[in-house]
Amino acid sequence: QVQLVESGGGLVQPGGSLRLSCAASGFNFPDFNLRWHRQVPGRGREMVAAIGISSPPTTYYADAVKGRFTISRDNAKGTAYLQMTGLKVEDTGIYSCNAHRSYGDYWGQGTQVTVSE
């Protein structure tokens, strides 16, 4: 029923760019706050970006990605995006999309991002 499916991950060189997508179905997407998290090797899971439900929506970025990543959403398509530029080796990880409200908390399966030569 409820699905969040990430795509767009892959192998990229340092300084490169990737755009991750999170396609949602089975719930009222515009009503949900969205977050991108990553599981970083050697560290725990961290939130990297968030976007709210207002119009225009508010956004939040972790200090480590501020100025390099941009979160956005297309409510008509039910899709969230994470545009990543200036990628660093330390950005490597599994990136997951999360949609949440007080009454619902949904997660995707994640997509691997690897930054290396």
Side-chain angles (χ1 to χ4, degrees), residues 37-48 90-95:
H37 298 77
R38 66 187 180 192
Q39 298 176 22
V40 181
R43 307 182 76 90
R45 186 177 68 189
E46 62 178 339
M47 181 172 60
V48 299
E90 52 263 45
D91 293 321
T92 294
I94 300 172
Y95 285 71

Side-chain angles (χ1 to χ4, degrees), residues 29-77:
F29 183 84
D31 289 341
F32 280 71
N33 304 290
L34 303 170
R35 294 185 293 213
W36 285 96
H37 298 77
R38 66 187 180 192
Q39 298 176 22
V40 181
R43 307 182 76 90
R45 186 177 68 189
E46 62 178 339
M47 181 172 60
V48 299
I51 188 166
I53 62 174
S54 60
S55 184
T58 57
T59 57
Y60 167 85
Y61 299 95
D63 288 343
V65 307
K66 192 172 298 181
R68 299 187 297 118
F69 290 12
T70 302
I71 188 171
S72 61
R73 65 190 299 164
D74 186 335
N75 285 339
K77 295 177 62 176

